[in-house]
């Protein structure tokens, strides 16, 4: 992978500017630096390796040289109501699953809000960062990381604390070698050609919802983790836990998750430090 081969693989997408680096701290960080230096709308940053890749909720994202895909797309004044910013995470995630299905016939799912699952394991993730000026959304960076070859998920490169979800890579799922540029092109095509201009349409929400992992199943949301947010799910009620179980029924217009809880009530949960898992409820019928 180098500047010329990426430019040539992405010619038909007519990107205004593209920068490749063998090694970067983080492609998201580089996209923000580029914005400060005058980077245009749809500027693309790609790196072979990241030394300080960023994941959601302050986690570290590992991108080892030669085996993964890490890139960030800068969007100036993204075409959506600022309240609907989470749709950009949906844009990235939907584009990844659509690309994996279209190019490699791999069934892929979105573990809300930003994880991409193949065979029930995490194959990639999306990190959207935003720049606000008061209530106005000035710019956003959509960062995407995909594990391509087995080296990208080898025990040797994973964080000592382990992962918060089991990992896999595209080649383990296809069973044959995969060209990173082909994956990059397919994802960007979905993002820029298929979905970006449709972000505000019901069609986009339907497509995003249809690819949600655990749709119509019982799931549990927990607010634990290193940055735990006590009270987020139980609204501080004494004696209750920071956990919420319910049947996953879809998304709100703002990209929050909709669940029917154990008492049959519809609840929505916006993105926070939440962990979504299939629920370990033996009998999945809610109490009468
Ligand atoms: C997550 O699952 O927590 C999101 C991971 C997002 C990682 C990508 S890799 C390219 C871009 N640059 C970063 O520093 N992070 C994102």
């Amino acid at each position: 992978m180098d500047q010329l081969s990426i430019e040539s693989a992405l010619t038909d997408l007519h990107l205004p500017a593209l920068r490749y680096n063998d090694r970067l701290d983080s492609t998201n960080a580089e996209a923000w630096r580029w914005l400060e230096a005058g980077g245009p709308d749809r500027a693309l940053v790609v790196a072979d390796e990241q030394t300080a890749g960023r994941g959601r909720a302050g986690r570290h994202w590992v991108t080892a040289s030669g085996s993964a895909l890490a890139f960030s797309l800068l969007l100036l004044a993204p075409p959506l109501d600022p309240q609907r910013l989470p749709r950009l995470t949906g844009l990235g995630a939907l584009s990844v699953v659509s690309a994996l299905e279209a190019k490699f016939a791999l069934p892929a799912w979105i573990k809300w809000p930003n994880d991409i699952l193949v065979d029930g394991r995490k194959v990639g993730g999306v990190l959207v960062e935003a720049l606000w000026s008061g209530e106005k959304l000035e710019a956003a960076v959509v960062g995407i990381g995909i594990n391509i070859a087995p080296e990208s998920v080898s025990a040797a490169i994973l964080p000592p604390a382990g992962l918060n979800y089991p990992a896999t890579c595209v080649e383990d799922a296809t069973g044959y070698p995969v060209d990173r540029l082909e994956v990059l092109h397919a994802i960007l095509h979905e993002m820029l050609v298929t979905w970006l201009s449709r972000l505000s349409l019901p069609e986009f929400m339907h497509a995003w919802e249809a690819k949600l992992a655990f749709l119509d199943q019982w799931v549990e949301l927990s607010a634990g983790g290193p940055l735990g947010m006590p009270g987020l799910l139980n609204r501080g009620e004494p004696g209750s836990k920071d956990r919420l179980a319910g049947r996953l029924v879809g998304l709100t217009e703002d990209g929050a998750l909709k669940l029917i809880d154990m008492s049959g009530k519809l609840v929505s949960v916006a993105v926070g430090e939440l962990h979504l898992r299939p629920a370990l409820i033996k009998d999945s019928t809610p109490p009468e």
Side-chain angles (χ1 to χ4, degrees):
M1 198 154 70
D2 56 33
Q3 178 83 26
L4 276 182
S5 62
I6 299 176
E7 279 174 8
S8 135
L10 304 181
T11 323
D12 65 318
L13 297 177
H14 306 294
L15 294 171
L18 186 169
R19 276 186 191 168
Y20 166 78
N21 286 77
D22 286 334
R23 182 186 289 168
L24 276 176
D25 51 353
S26 149
T27 55
N28 271 32
E30 177 70 4
W32 288 121
R33 290 190 288 264
W34 199 0
L35 174 69
E36 274 187 24
D41 184 36
R42 301 183 182 209
L44 179 72
V45 178
V46 184
D48 181 47
E49 181 184 356
Q50 293 186 115
T51 55
R54 311 209 274 240
R56 195 167 74 88
R59 282 189 282 268
H60 182 61
W61 179 265
V62 178
T63 306
S65 167
S67 61
L69 197 52
F71 64 94
S72 300
L73 187 70
L74 175 63
L75 296 174
L76 303 190
L80 85 171
D81 175 345
Q83 273 194 326
R84 297 181 168 177
L85 178 68
R87 290 193 186 204
L88 288 183
T89 304
L91 171 73
L94 177 61
S95 299
V96 174
V97 299
S98 307
L100 293 179
E101 291 187 348
K103 277 279 150 196
F104 307 104
L106 287 182
W109 303 96
I110 302 165
K111 183 167 85 67
W112 182 89
N114 70 319
D115 293 341
I116 313 300
L117 304 184
V118 168
D119 292 332
R121 293 168 168 262
K122 180 161 171 170
V123 77
V126 179
L127 178 68
V128 172
E129 297 173 330
L131 175 69
W132 296 89
S133 160
E135 310 261 289
K136 189 163 171 258
L137 178 59
E138 296 280 350
V141 169
V142 183
I144 297 183
I146 313 281
N147 308 322
I148 303 286
E151 296 74 39
S152 62
V153 287
S154 80
I157 62 155
L158 295 181
L163 298 168
N164 71 329
Y165 210 81
T168 189
C169 63
V170 176
E171 290 184 358
D172 274 352
T174 56
Y176 56 81
V178 162
D179 180 356
R180 286 185 289 172
L181 293 186
E182 204 183 328
V183 183
L184 178 65
H185 179 273
I187 296 171
L188 286 169
H189 189 274
E190 291 290 335
M191 283 176 87
L192 296 169
V193 179
T194 310
W195 292 117
L196 187 61
S197 61
R198 297 188 169 91
L199 270 185
S200 298
L201 303 180
E203 183 190 348
F204 170 75
M205 292 307 295
H206 294 148
W208 184 10
E209 271 184 341
K211 293 312 302 179
L212 286 179
F214 318 123
L215 190 61
D216 281 327
Q217 295 174 33
W218 282 84
V219 297
E220 187 179 86
L221 284 168
S222 65
L227 301 178
M229 295 172 72
L232 184 74
L233 291 174
N234 62 17
R235 295 173 176 79
E237 285 164 27
S240 58
K241 292 193 183 127
D242 276 340
R243 277 175 196 282
L244 176 70
R247 193 162 56 82
L248 198 165
V249 292
L251 296 166
T252 68
E253 293 293 306
D254 297 342
L257 200 64
K258 285 196 295 197
L259 304 175
I260 306 275
D261 75 7
M262 301 293 273
S263 65
K265 198 171 62 174
L266 180 68
V267 287
S268 64
V269 183
V271 178
E273 172 50 20
L274 293 173
H275 301 285
L276 171 69
R277 308 212 172 245
L280 298 171
I281 300 171
K282 286 206 180 79
D283 174 9
S284 64
T285 317
E288 295 296 321

